[in-house]
């Protein structure tokens, strides 16, 4: 590879113990999770926001004696309509991404986030719902969550957002996490949602999950190519 | 930059999504530019109560098994800060890394280096009121990977952080000072100079523990210049 001249001059700067060098202080750059994150990041039950299973851990990926991951102690069924949320992560050539990690963050059924930053006391908290989950993809690129349908939350100004789930996507080769959202095909307020309104109409479908059999909802995440998922800058 | 947004990104030091020298990015980088959205309550909130969510902390990676892992014991410590140097408390930091020989315990890691039965390489800590964290581990080894001829990853430790908001989510990795592999590593080099230096820990005699462990210091800076929690009118636009 080629090395730029100005790079050579800064390659081994003198250490600055005060940490005031602008090269050293500023937002920490992101890096890929690498191919072998599965044992470090998932935890038992981490993909099940309804608290009923160990979904999310993959103990088959490492020796049993190495299994030291924690386990969620949230117990009890959250209020709301229980659903399974699933799909595949596919690369620009349509091939499955078998080493991706998908995270979701969502409000409870009443439309409140289990966060100290959500101070709307008039909207009830659910002691059994924390709103954050993580699923690794399998070899075919499938992710799967158990959760509940979220309620509506406020948007900019006096607007109201349609029910949605925030999504982070990580994987080998993904140097910057990808951010998107999952909406529901029959969701109330999709036509007036302030975020969907920023998306060109012909691409909005990539953000909308469709109901499958029973309580299963599906949205594929396409990193490129035709029908590329809409990703957001935050 | 979106000035109204509390956790706006300063992308100066960010790696690109597609970095041709790192081959895995080629089919995994979106072709379309990301769509700018206002930060709503969805982006300005984040989970807490990490202990209940994930189980307990695992701050010492060298005592998870019956025996002592092979390798040089190190103590990694630092602070999680925002861009105004204010500490970010209650940030969960998840840790994963290779062992001293450069091998992960993951079944898919077929690199012919020894597995250490006393080392998993996974841990978890939460920052205190001053944003401080520390964990004890073994210095990881370098390992070969298939990106190009004679490609070796510099020794590194992966860190996953979730700060106060969905917008502050960060996965990164840090490197060790004076490692000659950094300058030929496409993943590290995806971060332009001089910002790449933000990914290099420094040796710290101050946190080094006599007759026990070498100290390394690595501070992390999350997005955000305002810690005031969500206020509806603050992003009214």
């Amino acid at each position: 590879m080629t090395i730029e001249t100005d790079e050579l001059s800064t390659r081994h700067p003198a250490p600055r113990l005060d940490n005031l060098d602008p090269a050293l202080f500023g937002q920490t750059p992101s890096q890929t999770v690498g191919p072998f994150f599965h044992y470090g990041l998932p935890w038992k039950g981490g993909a099940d926001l309804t608290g009923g299973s160990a979904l999310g851990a993959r103990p088959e990926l490492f020796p049993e004696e190495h299994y030291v991951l924690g386990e969620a102690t949230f117990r009890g069924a959250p209020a709301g309509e229980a659903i399974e949320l699933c799909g595949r992560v596919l690369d620009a050539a349509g091939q499955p991404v078998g080493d991706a990690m998908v995270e979701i963050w969502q409000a409870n059924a009443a439309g409140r986030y289990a966060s100290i930053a959500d101070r709307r006391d008039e909207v009830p908290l659910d002691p059994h719902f924390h709103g954050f989950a993580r699923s690794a993809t399998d070899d075919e690129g499938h992710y799967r969550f158990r959760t509940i349908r979220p309620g509506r939350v406020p948007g900019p100004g006096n607007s109201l957002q349609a029910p949605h789930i925030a999504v982070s996507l990580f994987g080998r080769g993904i140097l910057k996490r990808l951010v998107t959202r999952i909406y529901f095909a029959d969701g109330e307020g999709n036509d007036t949602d302030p975020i969907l309104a920023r998306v060109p109409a012909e691409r909005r479908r990539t953000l909308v999950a469709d109901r499958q059999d029973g309580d299963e909802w599906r949205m594929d995440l396409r990193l490129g190519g035709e029908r590329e998922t809409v990703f957001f800058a935050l | 930059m979106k000035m109204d947004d509390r956790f706006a990104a300063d992308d100066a030091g960010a790696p690109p999504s597609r970095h041709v020298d790192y081959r895995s990015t080629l089919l995994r980088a979106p072709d379309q530019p990301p769509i700018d959205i206002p930060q709503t309550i969805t982006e300005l909130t984040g989970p807490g109560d990490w202990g209940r969510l994930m189980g307990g902390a695992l701050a010492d990676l060298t005592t998870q098994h019956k025996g002592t892992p092979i390798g040089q014991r190190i103590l990694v410590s630092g602070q999680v800060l925002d861009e105004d140097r204010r500490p970010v408390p209650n940030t969960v930091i998840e840790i994963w890394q290779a062992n001293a020989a450069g091998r992960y315990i993951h079944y898919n890691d077929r690199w012919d280096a020894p597995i250490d039965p006393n080392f998993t390489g996974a841990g978890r800590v939460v920052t205190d009121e001053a944003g401080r964290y520390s964990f004890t581990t073994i210095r990881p080894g370098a390992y070969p990977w298939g990106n190009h001829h004679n490609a070796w990853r510099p020794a590194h430790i992966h860190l996953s952080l979730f700060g106060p908001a969905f917008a502050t989510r960060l996965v990164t990795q840090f490197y060790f000072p004076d490692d000659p592999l950094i300058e030929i590593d496409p993943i590290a080099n995806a971060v332009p100079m001089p910002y790449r230096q933000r990914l290099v820990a420094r040796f710290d005699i101050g946190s080094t523990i006599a007759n026990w462990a070498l100290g390394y210091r690595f501070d992390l800076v999350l997005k955000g210049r305002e810690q005031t929690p969500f206020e509806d009118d603050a992003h009214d636009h």
Side-chain angles (χ1 to χ4, degrees):
Chain A
M1 61 175 290
T2 56
I3 294 174
E4 303 293 335
T5 309
D6 61 340
E7 192 172 309
L8 285 170
S9 62
T10 50
R11 192 188 296 160
H12 297 297
R16 287 279 300 264
L17 295 181
D18 58 3
N19 202 15
L20 290 172
D21 188 332
L24 296 178
F25 192 85
Q27 283 180 16
T28 305
S30 60
Q31 297 271 269
T32 169
V33 297
F36 301 128
F37 65 89
H38 290 78
Y39 68 94
L41 285 168
W43 71 100
K44 289 178 183 172
D48 187 351
L49 277 163
T50 65
S53 74
L55 187 69
R58 295 187 65 192
E60 75 278 12
L61 290 173
F62 33 86
E64 193 177 350
E65 67 271 20
H66 287 294
Y67 195 66
V68 296
L69 303 179
E71 185 167 9
T73 57
F74 275 85
R75 291 283 181 268
E81 180 189 337
I83 58 170
E84 294 217 0
L85 191 62
C86 64
R88 295 177 83 195
V89 180
L90 301 165
D91 71 15
Q95 295 301 302
V97 178
D99 49 34
M101 178 175 86
V102 182
E103 287 182 348
I104 59 172
W105 169 239
Q106 64 168 98
N108 67 22
R112 181 156 177 194
Y113 284 98
S115 169
I116 55 167
D118 187 345
R119 293 173 164 177
R120 297 170 300 136
D121 291 334
E122 69 279 13
V123 186
L125 279 171
D126 183 340
H128 301 306
F129 193 74
H130 55 77
F132 174 66
R134 180 183 290 163
S135 172
T137 56
D138 66 15
D139 292 342
E140 282 78 48
H142 292 282
Y143 69 88
R144 178 172 294 274
F145 295 100
R146 289 184 191 147
T147 184
I148 51 112
R149 282 184 73 155
R152 300 182 72 175
V153 299
N158 293 318
S159 68
L160 200 56
Q161 302 191 57
H164 66 275
I165 292 175
V167 176
S168 288
L169 177 60
F170 304 84
R172 177 176 60 87
I174 299 174
L175 284 166
K176 279 195 293 203
R177 76 152 166 166
L178 296 167
V179 172
T180 185
R181 284 182 170 202
I182 294 174
Y183 288 84
F184 297 87
D186 61 357
E188 184 189 0
N190 282 349
D191 51 345
T192 56
D193 182 82
I195 303 300
L196 281 177
R198 297 205 169 211
V199 177
E202 68 276 14
R203 298 190 67 203
R204 280 179 206 153
R205 281 298 294 167
T206 71
L207 299 173
V208 180
D210 291 306
R211 191 191 282 274
Q212 310 292 295
D213 294 336
D215 56 7
E216 185 178 279
W217 289 79
R218 182 179 175 115
M219 191 179 108
D220 289 341
L221 301 166
R222 296 174 183 271
L223 305 184
E226 223 178 305
R227 288 181 290 150
E228 177 183 308
T229 299
V230 168
F231 296 105
F232 296 116
L234 293 186
Chain B
M1 182 148 70
K2 297 171 286 181
M3 297 305 292
D4 291 342
D5 292 327
R6 199 159 300 148
F7 300 112
D10 167 13
D11 270 340
S17 293
R18 181 178 281 106
H19 180 61
V20 291
D21 289 340
Y22 176 23
R23 290 187 349 206
S24 297
T25 66
L26 299 181
L27 288 172
R28 297 183 173 194
D31 295 311
Q32 306 287 335
I35 292 178
D36 222 19
I37 60 169
Q39 292 181 356
T40 73
I41 191 169
T42 302
E43 290 74 33
L44 295 174
T45 53
D49 204 355
W50 295 107
R52 270 190 83 198
L53 202 59
M54 296 180 164
L58 299 162
D60 191 340
L61 283 67
T62 69
T63 56
Q64 294 172 352
H65 303 282
K66 283 179 185 164
T68 302
I70 299 294
Q72 187 169 66
R73 188 185 294 107
I74 61 173
L75 178 74
V76 180
S77 60
Q79 243 182 327
V80 179
L81 302 164
D82 72 11
E83 291 164 281
D84 288 328
R85 297 179 185 277
R86 287 176 300 203
V88 184
N90 194 33
T91 295
V92 67
I93 303 179
E94 295 166 270
I95 302 142
W96 70 108
Q97 62 168 98
N99 68 22
R103 179 151 178 184
Y104 292 90
I105 56 160
H106 198 284
Y107 274 131
N108 293 346
D109 189 353
R110 300 300 183 191
W111 159 226
D112 186 19
I115 289 172
D116 185 339
N118 293 314
F119 191 71
T120 297
R124 181 184 306 122
V125 292
V126 180
T127 60
D128 67 12
E129 304 74 25
R132 289 180 301 235
Y133 77 92
S134 69
F135 62 92
T136 304
T137 187
I138 294 295
R139 182 169 168 145
Y143 56 83
W145 60 308
N147 190 69
H148 56 276
H149 175 66
N150 215 2
W152 295 74
R153 297 261 20 239
H156 62 278
I157 295 180
H158 294 269
L159 300 177
S160 161
L161 282 75
F162 211 130
F166 180 75
T168 64
R169 182 78 175 91
L170 174 69
V171 168
T172 190
Q173 45 192 275
F174 74 83
Y175 304 92
F176 290 84
D178 301 321
D179 186 335
L181 293 171
I182 296 173
E183 65 190 61
I184 56 170
D185 177 57
I187 296 178
N189 286 344
V191 176
M193 278 299 210
Y195 309 104
R196 199 177 308 151
Q197 294 300 326
R198 294 178 187 170
L199 295 176
V200 182
R202 60 183 163 83
F203 169 68
D204 180 26
I205 192 69
S207 61
T208 292
I209 302 171
N211 302 318
W212 186 249
L214 289 175
Y216 285 90
R217 185 167 175 93
F218 186 66
D219 293 335
L220 294 125
V221 181
L222 296 182
K223 291 181 189 181
R225 289 196 170 276
E226 186 185 347
Q227 277 195 310
T228 311
F230 177 73
E231 289 168 42
D232 204 24
D233 57 355
H235 59 106
D236 194 356
H237 62 110

